[in-house]
Amino acid sequence: MGEQDINQTHFDHVALRYDNLNPLRRRIIEDIGDAVLDKFDFDEDSTVMMDYACGTGLISQQLAPYCKEILGVDISDNMVAQFNLKVSNQGIPADEMQAIKLEIRGDPDELDGKKFDVIVCAQAYHHFLDIDKVTQNLAVHLKPESGTLIIVDLIRGDDEEANDDEILENHTHSHGEHGVVVHPGGFKEKDMVTALVSANLKQISFRAFTDFKKGGKTVQMFIAKGVRTAG
């Protein structure tokens, strides 16, 4: 079973309990939302956003008031179903907010040519084997000249080659035995810069924005950004 199949099986399995937020998870999700809002100039009347690896839509819910339209994309049927159920229960029209099952492969036509003002991928990059390729694939769907990719994940400390999977558990999701964590402990700044440069994105930035305690360690999170400046 490959990386994607294992991740899909895992997230299908945990989808129904994914939104059981403890106070730490709730605080981190709110911090992520605030950090993304600080990185991109959202306009509720015009901003079209993709939430990649959207899960049940926890980040989308934080950003929905600031967007005209949100498309969630995930490889898990059950995550997509939960996302859309919540949207329906809130009375939000599908043309304003919905999720679809898809693995983005960089084909310009895989979303019927749709382009996005901003693509957000929060707490998912540590599941991706080839982060350069994922970044390149996402960049295809950014609007030319201004489309912005925002990535949120963990910062890997200088004194550790990789944190245990336990550090990643219970912040925005838990992995358990069925999930693939390709990059335990997260990433260094150079990893993100290399990925964004590989996708020909410009105006690159990277900064820490919040931290939390886990297993006696202080774990930091980063937010990285790159902008598509060419057609």
Side-chain angles (χ1 to χ4, degrees):
M1 184 179 288
E3 164 205 350
Q4 179 183 340
D5 293 330
I6 297 173
N7 278 327
Q8 180 178 340
T9 299
H10 167 66
F11 288 111
D12 278 342
H13 179 70
V14 303
L16 291 178
R17 65 176 187 272
Y18 196 77
D19 288 359
N20 296 333
L21 301 182
N22 62 40
L24 175 60
R25 291 182 67 204
R26 188 176 301 279
R27 191 264 289 179
I28 291 171
I29 289 165
E30 291 173 354
D31 287 351
I32 291 172
D34 290 343
V36 172
L37 288 171
D38 185 59
K39 275 291 182 183
F40 183 80
D41 188 15
F42 284 81
D43 184 334
E44 63 183 294
D45 295 320
S46 64
T47 297
V48 178
M49 178 185 121
M50 180 200 296
D51 183 356
Y52 188 59
C54 62
T56 62
L58 294 173
I59 301 302
S60 286
Q61 289 176 334
Q62 293 288 313
L63 300 174
Y66 309 97
C67 296
K68 177 182 178 181
E69 179 185 347
I70 294 178
L71 178 68
V73 178
D74 203 285
I75 62 171
S76 165
D77 290 295
N78 290 350
M79 289 291 188
V80 167
Q82 287 297 111
F83 185 116
N84 288 331
L85 177 62
K86 290 194 296 185
V87 169
S88 176
N89 288 343
Q90 293 171 21
I92 302 173
D95 61 354
E96 294 182 11
M97 189 173 177
Q98 67 170 315
I100 61 171
K101 179 187 176 182
L102 182 69
E103 181 186 13
I104 298 294
R105 298 185 180 277
D107 180 349
D109 298 321
E110 62 192 341
L111 292 168
D112 298 322
K114 190 177 187 67
K115 301 295 183 185
F116 295 84
D117 298 294
V118 59
I119 297 175
V120 177
C121 186
Q123 286 300 280
Y125 257 58
H126 56 266
H127 288 291
F128 302 146
L129 182 62
D130 187 343
I131 64 169
D132 291 359
K133 185 61 176 174
V134 170
T135 305
Q136 293 159 19
N137 291 347
L138 291 174
V140 167
H141 300 290
L142 293 170
K143 289 184 178 179
E145 308 302 333
S146 62
T148 300
L149 175 61
I150 295 176
I151 302 163
V152 176
D153 216 297
L154 300 183
I155 297 176
R156 181 158 62 88
D158 291 333
D159 60 343
E160 57 188 352
E161 292 186 2
N163 283 330
D164 188 83
D165 182 30
E166 182 182 355
I167 287 181
L168 288 166
E169 289 183 345
N170 299 323
H171 49 95
T172 61
H173 55 268
S174 62
H175 308 287
E177 63 182 353
H178 300 296
V180 172
V181 181
V182 184
H183 306 278
F187 305 92
K188 292 183 178 292
E189 180 175 0
K190 64 181 178 62
D191 301 322
M192 286 296 103
V193 171
T194 297
L196 293 165
V197 168
S198 80
N200 295 316
L201 299 180
K202 310 296 183 183
Q203 301 175 31
I204 293 170
S205 64
F206 177 104
R207 71 173 178 87
F209 71 94
T210 193
D211 58 49
F212 59 94
K213 293 286 188 180
K214 183 66 180 178
K217 296 181 179 180
T218 298
V219 182
Q220 284 191 306
M221 299 181 71
F222 71 80
I223 184 165
K225 182 183 84 167
V227 180
R228 182 177 176 182
T229 60

